[in-house]
Amino acid sequence: MNTQAKPKGDAMKTKGSQYTPGPWKVKEYRQMYSVIGPDMKECVCTFPPADNAYANARLIAAAPELLEACRKGLARVKELTALAGHAEGYSYETVRVLADAIAKAEGRKCA
């Protein structure tokens, strides 16, 4: 039985954003697909046999790189918007979508 209390407030945000560093890889074993961390010792998750199991495993394995791409994209959109001195409607939407995706990945509330 796990007797550890769940972290609250800022501790939960910190705890929620700690994940196995990438790159992650997909490995097949007995018709199941596992997403494995870079040291090949830690299993991030496993998908049982299903038509979409391999596609789902590939998507999860790309998560660390996708999160980093969102962070870089968000920074660049904000930088370009500031340089232009104004923001077009699409810039606001892009910022919102990227910020929400990053917040979700880090265990924070979306805007």
Side-chain angles (χ1 to χ4, degrees), residues 19-68:
Y19 57 86
T20 303
W24 296 348
K25 297 180 181 355
V26 176
K27 296 292 179 185
E28 181 183 7
Y29 180 72
R30 295 187 180 189
Q31 299 179 340
M32 295 194 310
Y33 295 97
S34 294
V35 178
I36 308 295
D39 61 4
M40 301 298 286
K41 294 178 184 175
E42 186 171 355
C43 180
V44 175
C45 64
T46 299
F47 293 89
D51 289 342
N52 59 356
Y54 184 56
N56 289 340
R58 285 192 329 262
L59 180 61
I60 297 301
E65 290 90 351
L66 291 171
L67 178 57
E68 185 59 25

